[in-house]
Amino acid sequence: MITLNHNNFGGGIITLNEFQSNGFCILNGKIVVNPTHPDYIVADRLELDLPSDFLMSKSAMSSAVLVSNISIYRDGTLLRCWIEKKKLCIEKLTVWDSFGNYEIYIYSAFVERGYRGQVIPAYIQSVVFNQPELFRIVYKVYKETHDFIFMALLFNKKNTTQGQGPFTLQLTSIATDVSIQVPIFFDNLTGTRRTGNNIVIGTLENGSLTFNYPGDTSSFGEIRTYLIFYAIRNITNVT
Amino acid sequence: MKLLPSVAFNDFSGSAGNVTARKTGDRTVLSTRTKHSKKKTIYQAATRCRFADTVRGYVDITEEQRQGWISLANNLGSYHTSTGKEYSMTGHNLFVAINTYRKICGKPQSDIAPLELKPSNYIRLDDWWLTPEHIVLTGLGEKENPNDVLYVEMYVAQSPAENDCWDKTVLVAIFPDTDWGDIDLTSAFLERFGTPLKIGQKVYIKACWVDSECGYVKYYSLIGHIVQELSIEHGEIYLPRPKITTADLYNYNRPFRFERLDFEMSPTSTNIVMTSIDMIIINDGSDTQNFIMEMYPNTIDRILWANLWLFSRDAADYQVCFISISTNNLENSKPLSILNNTFIKFHNRTEFFGTYITSE
């Protein structure tokens, strides 16, 4: 766990869970942003000072997820996020500022380019997901190391699956020592243009992903739901 | 050069024919007159022109400006050249030295003496390759001063018996910055010396970070080694950093193009690698679910992965899609496919960024 004492947007003291190795690190956590704070208003981008002993001073481009405070579905999008001069930098997007405080979820990896050692630990394994009645898994990638997991998952809600949930997706054989709250994007068959995506916050715990469709998706038909994240093992990341 | 207690040259200084005499203490030193070599390479011509222009420049500056250089030289005391020699400095010498390096760094002549001289800095190095195919320095880190450029001189010994050749190095390249700590000297070396290195040759490299505005080369790292197949520090085989750039792709007449393409994988021998992406595709045609383009055949050799799963973001409405990027290595076709797996279509401008793990 690292504590970020200073930032340029009035965000107070922020703690993030971290895994660090040579040329590579993972950050997990949530940042609350108050768009009415004077410091935020004048900031061009969000900057958080990393601890002086943080190994990485500069990273390639990574990402974070902005989750707004809009009711029912918390619309949001992807943000650019990177490390520069020992600062965690996040793109500032003001699209949802008028809806009050928003959250930024960071479940991301950061790499230094040109690092020629072993970036990912040699031990890595893939597992198979089961396919429960409610959902059909379309694409899945799962990588597990001693220290973290990486998951990219796209699944469809079946037409027969109605209501708000909560729904639970049992993910067989994944690490059970990961406990996180992670943003999940979804959209529907119509592919309607809108600003950002519908987002819900899911909980991954003991190998099960649980989430709601709070707006009742019965009329949506086959919803495509997707998430990508890196999660550090053995630690509860967001409380 | 000879010390000559000659009657003929007592109290004489100057040149006569090919002989130059100068007084040192109570002695007269005779030397043959310095002539530049008859070799006429582009580099030598450029160096001579640069030097001659700079020398002439001192004549053209005002007396006040000259006094500034003289004052700075007096405060400086001795001066180290890039060949490692120490000289007492005159205003004229300092003007020529500083402006010579400024010109090498692409800066115009400075008539006014700087308020202070920022000396060059040593480089740090994690590993380096001196092979017939690659001359690469890695782990140089980030420059501390925005004005710094990396100044590199090299020399290849002509025989195994030729030693201590630090005063024979010549400028190979100036780099405004490193590529994430890497410097690839291969093409600059070939351009400068014409032939690739051979196993067993002895190579001398002199390198430093020099402030391009100041042009004061004082401290520099001296690194030398025998050419070998493995890296000098860690004994590793050279692995290029796998990247895709716009030069690797051709689109035929497809209605889309890259506004930005920054795609790189970690150099490792495994097939599961970290990949960082920062690219923008402009779509001039109708909305689409995929972008498919061809890579040039040699690109595929550098690309180890088959599939990559990531997000994209529409630049206008910020809609996020679940994307797969894949490569294929067919006999007559090397497609790079970017497929949108959601029901949202790609519009005019789509951004792809993040750090992901490739999948077999």
Side-chain angles (χ1 to χ4, degrees), chain B residues 41-62:
Chain B
T41 68
I42 295 170
Y43 298 99
Q44 284 158 339
T47 302
R48 285 172 195 142
C49 280
R50 189 166 50 228
F51 182 76
D53 286 350
T54 309
V55 170
R56 275 195 295 272
Y58 191 71
V59 177
D60 295 335
I61 63 176
T62 66

Side-chain angles (χ1 to χ4, degrees), chain A residues 85-157:
Chain A
K85 295 179 180 173
K86 288 269 183 182
K87 290 178 190 289
L88 178 64
C89 302
I90 306 169
E91 176 185 12
K92 179 183 173 184
L93 212 58
T94 57
V95 177
W96 291 279
D97 280 4
S98 59
F99 295 95
N101 288 7
Y102 64 82
E103 294 167 347
I104 295 172
Y105 287 77
I106 303 175
Y107 286 91
S108 308
F110 300 82
V111 288
E112 285 177 4
R113 291 192 181 172
Y115 176 70
R116 291 173 184 277
Q118 183 72 42
V119 174
I120 303 174
Y123 156 68
I124 195 159
Q125 72 175 53
S126 299
V127 294
V128 180
F129 294 90
N130 69 342
Q131 298 185 2
E133 292 299 313
L134 301 176
F135 299 96
R136 183 172 63 85
I137 296 204
V138 183
Y139 295 108
K140 60 183 188 299
V141 176
Y142 176 77
K143 304 292 179 191
E144 178 184 313
T145 76
H146 289 291
D147 302 293
F148 65 90
I149 65 170
F150 168 76
M151 188 186 291
L153 189 60
L154 172 67
F155 55 93
N156 284 6
K157 179 183 80 67

Side-chain angles (χ1 to χ4, degrees), chain B residues 74-224:
Chain B
N74 289 339
N75 293 335
L76 193 64
S78 60
Y79 177 81
H80 294 80
T81 69
S82 69
T83 59
K85 291 177 180 169
E86 186 174 347
Y87 293 95
S88 292
M89 186 55 69
T90 65
H92 176 262
N93 288 347
L94 185 61
F95 174 89
V96 173
I98 295 298
N99 277 306
T100 296
Y101 283 112
R102 276 179 58 88
K103 285 180 181 176
I104 287 172
C105 296
K107 303 290 179 184
Q109 176 178 296
S110 173
D111 295 342
I112 301 169
L115 293 175
E116 61 168 340
L117 288 175
K118 295 177 193 164
S120 57
N121 277 322
Y122 301 107
I123 63 164
R124 67 180 171 88
L125 206 56
D126 176 50
D127 205 354
W128 47 306
W129 281 263
L130 285 177
T131 77
E133 295 82 21
H134 302 285
I135 306 170
V136 176
L137 314 181
T138 65
L140 281 91
E142 293 181 65
K143 60 184 185 182
E144 295 173 1
N145 172 1
N147 290 331
D148 275 357
V149 295
L150 189 71
Y151 177 89
V152 183
E153 293 184 0
M154 292 180 74
Y155 178 73
V156 183
Q158 300 304 298
S159 77
E162 191 178 11
N163 291 313
D164 199 19
C165 301
W166 298 112
D167 59 348
K168 295 181 178 175
T169 58
V170 292
L171 174 66
V172 169
I174 296 280
F175 295 92
D177 208 345
T178 66
D179 181 5
W180 289 78
D182 286 6
I183 287 291
D184 191 334
L185 291 162
T186 315
S187 58
F189 175 86
L190 285 173
E191 192 177 331
R192 185 69 179 84
F193 291 95
T195 55
L197 293 174
K198 294 174 185 160
I199 297 292
Q201 281 183 313
K202 203 182 296 178
V203 177
Y204 296 82
I205 301 178
K206 192 182 291 179
C208 63
W209 289 107
V210 59
D211 186 315
S212 57
E213 288 294 335
C214 185
Y216 182 32
V217 175
K218 181 173 183 181
Y219 304 114
Y220 36 83
S221 301
L222 303 175
I223 54 175

